Structures are given as C-alpha cells and as structure tokens.
Amino acid sequence: MGIPAAVLAHAQSTAQLLGVGVDAGELLGGRAALLGLRARGQVSAGGATRLMRDGAGAWCALTLSRPDDVAAVPALVEGDDVAADPWPVLAQHVRRLGAAPFAERARLLGLPVGVLGETTDPPGATPHIRRLGRRSTSTSPEELLVVDLSSMWAGPLCGRLLAQAGATVVKVESAARPDGTRTGPSAFFDWINGGKLCYEADFRRPDGLRRLLAAADVVIESSRPAALERRGLGPSDQPDRDGRIWLRITGHGTDGEHADWVAFGDDAAVSGGLVAGTADVPRFCGDAIADPLTGIHAAVAVLQSCGRGGGEVIELSMAGVSASYARLPRGDERTCTTTPNVEHAAVRPGADNAAVEHLTAQRLAPTC
C-alpha cells in the first residue's frame, strides 16, 4: 500500500514518542497487508468508499459500509429504483446536485461523507485539551487502567499502543452491539484488540460500567459526543479521580453540527484533503489512513498528558489529523507491505468480566 513519503516520515517521528519501537509503516499499511487489500484509485482499498465528482469539478467521498448506510440510499437519491449496485446512481446524483449539497443531504441521513478539502482550518494533529479535574503526580504507563469504549480502528489502535507501552487495557463492548469489526476478518480484529481484557456491558443497566469508569485512569471513546452523556456516562458524570484522562476521538470535531457528522477513515481523509493523485484527479491515500494516523496521535497525546499529571479531556478529529498531514509536501510514495505479527487472539465479549470486576473493586477500595 503506497503512502506519501512525508506522511510516513511524520507518522514515524510521532510514533517514536511512544517509546515502544512502533513501525508506522506497519500501522498505516497493516490492515491492507493482513487482508490482501490493494490501492484501487477512486475506490477505497476496502471497497466501501467511492470518490465522486460533481459537474463543477468538486469531489466528495461517500462510505457505504453498514447495512443501514445502503438502506438509506433511496432516500439520499430521492428514488426507489436503485439497482443492486447503487454507485452509478449516486455518481449521477453528485453530478446533478453538487458535491457540497450532496454531502449536506447525506449527513442529514447520518451517512459518512467528506467533501475534498472541506476541513481547512482544523486543530489538526494538535489535540484540543481542557481541564477535567485535579492533576496527579506523573504516572507511568504501567500504572494505567485504560477503559476502551471505542470501536472500529482509531480508538482501538490507540488502546493497543497504550497496552504495548505497559498499560492494562479493558475493551468494553455493548451486550446488544459488539464492535462491528468482530464480524469482519478475525486477523485484523485480533491485531488491534488482542492482549486487552474484554468486558461486556449492558448500557441499559450500566452500574458495572459506571464502577469501571470510576476506577479508570484513561477512558477512550469514539461515539458521538452526546451519546454517553445521555446515559450519564460522560466525563463530567464520573466521580473525581486525580489525573483521569478522557480521550475523545471524533470524525469532525465536537463543535456545532460537526459533532453529529459520522466519519470513517477514508471519507475523513478526503475531508481533510489527504489524498493521492492530483486535485483534478484524486485517488485514495493508503487504506482508511485517517484511522491509524489518529490512533497514533491519540496514544501520544495520552502519554504526554500523563507526563503533565492528567486531569484532562483530549479531543482529536480524524478529519483534522488528516488535514494536518495534507499540508505536508507531496513527493514520492513508499510502499508499506509489512504484515503485522498477530501475537494474541482477542477473546469473546465478556470473557474477562469477572477479572475486570475484581480489578475494579481493588482500585475502588478505600486506602488507609
């Protein structure tokens, strides 16, 4: 999988801050190597996202990776005569309507879409940080209990990198909706999640999850900002714990309407302008590249926060991280073909519930 040399070099220099010998090329190209994916021009490596051009020369990328996304296509194109292959009709609709109006309509339907280069003034790879609570003394990674509420790729990769640095990481999945990547190839899921404790939570009766969050030093989440708050599970709902770090990964940030915009790695990269080819004829850069780039920067941000004593909410958007990389000089591409060594298979959801509850009780026990 080809990655621009400047992108790869900057990702590697960032990954080195983790201090665990991470190969950025493996992280950026690892899924493609594991699954045998290849570059496909204006079709994403994974096949779920397409670049489409409107009549004025503007481009957008739409992702149809979930059954609900495909089911929303008739409403998006305002017609019921959508064939088994919806892409020709969608491309025609983009040409007629325009990339930006098309994206606006898609977002009203909850679809992941990005207009090329629309994220023009992002916080980028520099996270937005605000105080959450009291700081603690500097904490080493080996002392951290990380609760990973995220799914898919960017957040779970952050958790995996923190586990490599020595942290205890608990992957939390809903009893009703486990991580969607469990239904895909097991090699990718195991690569990102192997070595974590697996805890199954019932979000309708979240008492056990509340106790786990109360005991956590770091929480990783990638849901829409209001999703956890509605259940009383947001950062401000937790009892004080000195130094707690709350990491929030979003597609497009948390301000205004952007907070509700859904994103996946390929369309978020397009939104940030991180594409290969030319402005007239762009093609996808790497494989869902916004995901691993954001995962790397998120893990570094957590460890840097630990050095400051924590007590922070850290926010990173995938489109913003992509936009910061899009500003790097264009040059030759480097081929990333290293196949990751999958050392641990991830166990079923809930397999470690008893161990996690014991760990939670230990950490919440009063000290003399």
Side-chain angles (χ1 to χ4, degrees):
M1 186 62 62
I3 306 292
V7 169
L8 185 59
H10 189 64
Q12 184 62 52
S13 65
T14 302
Q16 287 175 345
L17 299 175
L18 295 168
V20 290
V22 172
D23 178 2
E26 178 183 313
L27 297 182
L28 300 187
R31 187 180 79 154
L34 281 171
L35 306 186
L37 305 179
R38 58 182 177 82
R40 300 166 65 182
Q42 290 168 0
V43 178
S44 65
T49 311
R50 304 283 178 103
L51 273 161
M52 297 176 286
R53 182 178 183 174
D54 71 11
W59 292 82
C60 67
L62 176 71
T63 300
L64 299 179
S65 62
R66 304 167 298 183
D68 287 349
D69 299 332
V70 178
V73 170
L76 178 59
V77 300
E78 301 176 294
D80 296 325
D81 56 343
V82 179
D85 179 5
W87 291 108
V89 173
L90 288 165
Q92 182 181 30
H93 204 64
V94 171
R95 286 194 297 270
R96 180 176 64 83
L97 191 61
F102 175 85
E104 182 179 3
R105 181 170 180 80
R107 282 165 175 154
L108 289 174
L109 295 169
L111 292 169
V113 63
V115 177
L116 180 57
E118 66 184 337
T119 306
T120 57
D121 188 25
T126 301
H128 175 71
I129 298 172
R130 59 181 174 85
R131 288 296 299 274
L132 174 63
R134 296 187 300 269
R135 298 194 185 277
S136 67
T137 56
S138 181
T139 305
S140 67
E142 293 81 4
E143 300 174 85
L144 296 176
L145 173 61
V146 178
V147 175
D148 182 4
L149 301 176
S150 67
S151 61
M152 305 307 287
W153 192 349
L157 174 59
C158 172
R160 181 211 147 182
L161 293 173
L162 293 176
Q164 281 186 254
T168 298
V169 181
V170 177
K171 180 172 181 59
V172 176
E173 294 176 83
S174 163
R177 295 181 64 183
D179 189 332
T181 52
R182 277 194 183 272
T183 62
S186 59
F188 174 66
F189 186 88
D190 290 345
W191 175 47
I192 298 299
N193 293 293
K196 302 177 185 178
L197 297 171
C198 291
Y199 183 82
E200 188 176 57
D202 186 343
F203 281 79
R204 297 168 301 177
R205 302 177 181 84
D207 289 347
L209 178 56
R210 285 197 178 97
R211 286 174 54 79
L212 177 57
L213 292 175
D217 301 300
V218 178
V219 178
I220 304 170
E221 56 129 321
S222 60
S223 55
R224 298 187 195 183
L228 292 176
E229 276 84 351
R230 284 197 297 267
R231 294 180 170 90
L233 297 171
S236 62
D237 300 310
Q238 309 310 316
D240 291 339
R241 184 176 184 85
D242 289 358
R244 179 180 290 124
I245 299 164
W246 197 283
L247 174 68
R248 177 171 283 156
I249 295 174
T250 65
H252 296 272
T254 59
D255 294 333
E257 63 179 359
H258 291 203
D260 292 321
W261 290 1
V262 180
F264 286 90
D266 286 303
D267 56 85
V270 169
S271 177
L274 182 54
V275 292
T278 66
D280 292 333
V281 188
R283 52 188 171 83
F284 285 105
C285 176
D287 171 29
I289 195 167
D291 274 303
L293 288 177
T294 304
I296 292 168
H297 281 270
V300 169
V302 168
L303 294 186
Q304 289 176 336
S305 180
C306 286
R308 295 189 296 268
E312 298 175 340
V313 174
I314 301 171
E315 295 179 351
L316 277 172
S317 80
M318 293 198 296
V321 170
S322 299
S324 68
Y325 275 85
R327 295 171 180 172
L328 296 174
R330 299 297 175 92
D332 295 338
E333 293 189 356
R334 299 288 184 265
T335 301
C336 302
T337 59
T338 302
T339 301
N341 181 21
V342 182
E343 298 178 353
H344 304 284
V347 296
R348 62 175 176 80
D352 299 311
N353 273 35
V356 171
E357 288 164 2
H358 178 70
L359 177 61
T360 299
Q362 286 182 316
R363 291 177 66 89
L364 294 178
T367 56
C368 299

